[in-house]
Amino acid sequence: MKTAAELYDLGQRDLHSLVAYTISLQERTALNSRNSSKPPVTDGYAKPAPKSLRGNSGKKTGGQPGHKGATLQPIERPDQTEIHPLSHCPCGCGSDLSGQPPLGYESRQVFDLPPQKLIVTEHRVEIKRCPLSGELVRAPWPTGVTAPAQYGPDFLTWLVYLNTQQFVPLARIDQMSFDLFGQHVSQDTILNAIRTVGQNLTPFSAAIEELILLEPVVGADETGLRVNNKLHWLHILCAVGWTWYGVHQKRGREALDFFGILTEYEGRLVHDCWQTYLDLHCLHALCNAHILRELVFIHEQCHQAWAKSLFDLLLEMNNERDEHKQVASGFPEERLRQWHQQYKAILTLGRDKNPPILPPADAPKKRGRKKQTKAQNLLDRLEQYEDWVLAFLHDFEVPFTNNQSEQDARMMKVKQKVSGCFRTFEGAETFATIRSYISTLRKQGQQIFQGLKSAIQSKPFIPQASHSR
């Protein structure tokens, strides 16, 4: 039978465990897409009210001054003209005007699609008899003409464009082809066209890998990808002018070693503080969007004022940085020192509100990391990686967030919502390569359809280092 002192000590240890468990449970149930990295789909029916982390910009809604519009404008040389005669006077007198010459015209233009049909071109090569050997010889076929009946590059590009850019499923592409052109197209034809584009993009992929190593700032992210009903990972590297995707079965260092890109990178990598990235021998910058969401959670759910103060300070830093970089390439050292002092002062307030939860002195020691609240974990990270959190103040080329990577991941998630998953790993790799090409074309201001046509003709667009910024 235990003594009163032993029962008291046992109760203290149980109370400590119960408090830690209760805090973690409360934090877990309060998480949503606005105050954490959870995706919106996990919010269920209790979706939080939308609220931008950026705050009010003070600008009016709609197009801003200097914004280039896209209003439909008449052209000087229309393809065809229709004259509408005036036979009787519309003023009410009913006079016959059919014999009167027109004094002028008013014109309006209607832009419409031409009649849809496939244009069939028959290629005929001449056959002649050689006067010396007596053999029958023929002229060479044009490049790309390899079968008695085949589709041309424009139609094949259209098929690839619908599937890889617009995410139209194969069966619906067939239906669309029949509705527009009266011509059914097999799924094998579509898939072969996609494979052809993917194979012809080998020099493009090599060029992107070289650009990564030359880029001073690169964003990195990863997201789940279903392949043959198994979880794989889509790895993303991006900058302002290009996008790279890679597919691998693993998320961590094994995948990075397989690709062999980031292991050689020496610039600054922007990411969400994932340990695999932190282990790389390069400079780092942390995504402040993730930090802002965690600060929202701590302020709204844990009711700690320091989190709101740091939230406002980070946004103030970013706003002043955006204004300052219009006239200078960096902050004065004195201003940087002031920013860091304010940052550390707020973290000190946070530590006062979140003292460590110490177990009883005689409690058995447990292996691994000690259990902490989300506020304590965030404070640890903000203190340890202060220079990386505030890297955007020291280098104006470093973005405040890693939103570019998340935006580049978004369309791949849309693809999965439409199609469910990829049937084969090769198909996922090919699609990732083509999406990398399409995203780069868009960032470079190139026409996506024309870029895909160039790729299907083995002449893909190759970005240059000077265009990647």
Side-chain angles (χ1 to χ4, degrees), residues 429-443:
E429 281 188 316
T430 299
F431 190 85
T433 300
I434 296 177
R435 282 302 308 181
S436 171
Y437 182 64
I438 289 175
S439 179
T440 301
L441 288 171
R442 180 179 54 80
K443 291 180 178 180

Side-chain angles (χ1 to χ4, degrees), residues 212-230:
I212 294 174
L213 300 179
L214 297 175
E215 193 74 29
V217 179
V218 170
D221 203 358
E222 69 289 327
T223 186
L225 193 73
R226 304 294 298 185
V227 180
N228 194 22
N229 291 323
K230 294 182 180 179

Side-chain angles (χ1 to χ4, degrees), residues 126-139:
E126 292 184 337
I127 301 175
K128 297 183 178 180
R129 187 178 298 278
C130 176
L132 298 179
S133 65
E135 295 182 0
L136 293 177
V137 292
R138 60 175 56 87

